[in-house]
Amino acid sequence: MQHNFPILRFGGDEFFEKIILETMAYAKTQDYSYFLETILRRLMEEDVTQEQIKSILQQLNKPFEKYVFIANLRAGDTIHPNWMQPFYSLEPLLKSGMICSYKKSLFIIMTHPSQQFQFERVLHEWLALYAIPTDTITFGYSNCNDTQTGFPMALREAFFANIFAEIDMLPSCHYKNLASDCLLIELYRKDATFAMDYVTSFLAPLLDDKADPDLMETAITYIIKKGNIKEVAVAQFCHPNTIRYRMAKIRQLVAPIDNDYVFYERLAAAVKLYLLHSKMTSD
């Protein structure tokens, strides 16, 4: 105990061979989980070549089908830290897929021979079958990708779709529905420093320590609510005229000479990059 070395005491009716086998099985499981996390981190964060993708998929040693479908799951801040554990009960069903954690999120990966596979429907049927609660979980869904060439892309699509589901305060988001937000994702992914230089430059008057915090909060809500003043007012517990006053002040501070369309476009890009960066650095 002095050197933090565990001492185990047994009652006498245990089979030592069983203890050894169970310990080895647990260690193997932990090693494989770490191996999976390392592999997925590399696919997510590095620009791997086609040959490297092929090699990685071979190392995973799974009977992957032609097309890959991926969901990324993330829990609310107040949920139990072991929220991922029930989802691993789905593993026996994933003959040609797998489950793996990444940062504070969870990937559920399925492959199928058909592009028409109803991935989302099947996943939620399984979750219902195992009575796994999803009320506090956000889902991000990838496009259908070719497993051998698009595996890393599918991972990133699901992951960023989930982040934008959180940003827009929606229960789920499909990458295919992100439209021009995909450009912001790729800009941030390829050059986060450049992206954040734009954000801090454009939003500087709102991010200043001496600035009214209500202005930045209103700007964020305005973009999330797609410029709907009434919805912003409800979310901010204010009168619509208060929101109009704040937005006029925000416009005067960050883009006094831009017309309505240019102002909204620039503000939306800056706010979404700001929120994306906040989500990425909070993991």
Side-chain angles (χ1 to χ4, degrees):
M1 296 296 291
Q2 184 177 2
H3 300 287
N4 295 319
F5 189 84
I7 298 175
L8 307 179
R9 298 182 63 182
F10 304 102
D13 56 348
E14 298 87 359
F15 289 97
F16 198 62
E17 292 85 352
K18 183 179 179 181
I19 295 171
I20 292 174
L21 289 173
E22 289 185 354
T23 302
M24 289 177 65
Y26 176 77
K28 186 177 180 180
T29 301
Q30 295 300 102
D31 286 345
Y32 185 65
S33 296
Y34 178 75
F35 166 73
L36 277 184
E37 290 175 21
T38 302
I39 288 293
L40 260 66
R41 186 175 294 273
R42 184 181 178 196
L43 290 171
M44 278 287 298
E45 299 174 9
E46 297 179 18
D47 290 325
V48 293
T49 66
Q50 290 299 309
E51 285 300 316
Q52 289 171 326
I53 296 173
K54 183 178 179 181
S55 173
I56 287 170
L57 293 179
Q58 288 174 345
Q59 291 177 56
L60 291 174
N61 194 29
K62 285 276 189 176
F64 290 129
E65 301 287 357
K66 181 169 177 57
Y67 299 104
V68 62
F69 303 81
I70 300 179
N72 183 259
L73 284 62
R74 189 181 294 260
D77 294 335
T78 59
I79 199 167
H80 193 276
N82 293 328
W83 67 270
M84 296 183 190
Q85 204 56 44
F87 292 91
Y88 282 97
S89 61
L90 300 179
E91 280 191 306
L93 302 174
L94 296 169
K95 303 299 183 184
S96 59
M98 58 186 186
I99 298 178
C100 181
S101 63
Y102 174 73
K103 295 186 175 180
K104 294 180 181 178
S105 69
L106 187 72
F107 281 114
I108 298 180
I109 301 165
M110 297 187 202
T111 61
H112 198 271
S114 171
Q115 288 179 288
Q116 307 307 316
F117 176 56
Q118 298 297 307
F119 170 55
E120 183 178 359
R121 178 180 62 79
V122 171
L123 174 59
H124 281 273
E125 285 178 355
W126 288 358
L127 293 173
L129 179 65
Y130 281 78
I132 300 174
T134 59
D135 293 347
T136 57
I137 306 296
T138 56
F139 291 77
Y141 295 99
S142 73
N143 292 324
C144 170
N145 285 274
D146 185 283
T147 304
Q148 295 296 320
T149 59
F151 202 97
M153 184 181 297
L155 288 170
R156 290 193 291 267
E157 287 175 352
F159 180 77
F160 285 109
N162 193 324
I163 285 181
F164 271 84
E166 286 196 331
I167 288 173
D168 292 331
M169 294 184 288
L170 298 171
S172 67
C173 177
H174 292 258
Y175 187 82
K176 64 184 177 183
N177 295 332
L178 288 179
S180 60
D181 291 340
C182 297
L183 301 176
L184 299 179
I185 290 168
E186 286 305 303
L187 171 64
Y188 182 86
R189 198 174 71 81
K190 295 291 186 181
D191 196 339
T193 301
F194 175 81
M196 292 313 297
D197 282 346
Y198 171 76
V199 170
T200 53
S201 174
F202 184 73
L203 296 179
L206 308 184
L207 297 174
D208 188 274
D209 291 339
K210 297 179 181 178
D212 182 352
D214 288 340
L215 294 182
M216 187 62 194
E217 187 177 347
T218 299
I220 290 172
T221 309
Y222 182 76
I223 297 305
I224 290 174
K225 299 299 183 181
K226 298 178 173 54
N228 188 312
I229 293 293
K230 290 183 179 179
E231 291 185 10
V232 177
V234 171
Q236 297 274 283
F237 304 102
C238 295
H239 191 279
N241 286 342
T242 302
I243 301 302
R244 292 188 182 94
Y245 168 77
R246 289 179 186 174
M247 290 308 304
K249 193 168 184 179
I250 290 168
R251 184 168 177 172
Q252 183 181 15
L253 288 170
V254 301
I257 63 173
D258 290 342
N259 63 38
D260 291 346
Y261 299 107
V262 174
F263 166 65
Y264 183 85
E265 179 184 41
R266 295 183 69 191
L267 184 66
V271 165
K272 288 179 180 181
L273 284 170
Y274 171 82
L275 294 174
L276 176 59
H277 179 71
S278 298
K279 296 289 184 183
M280 292 295 289
T281 54
S282 67
D283 283 339

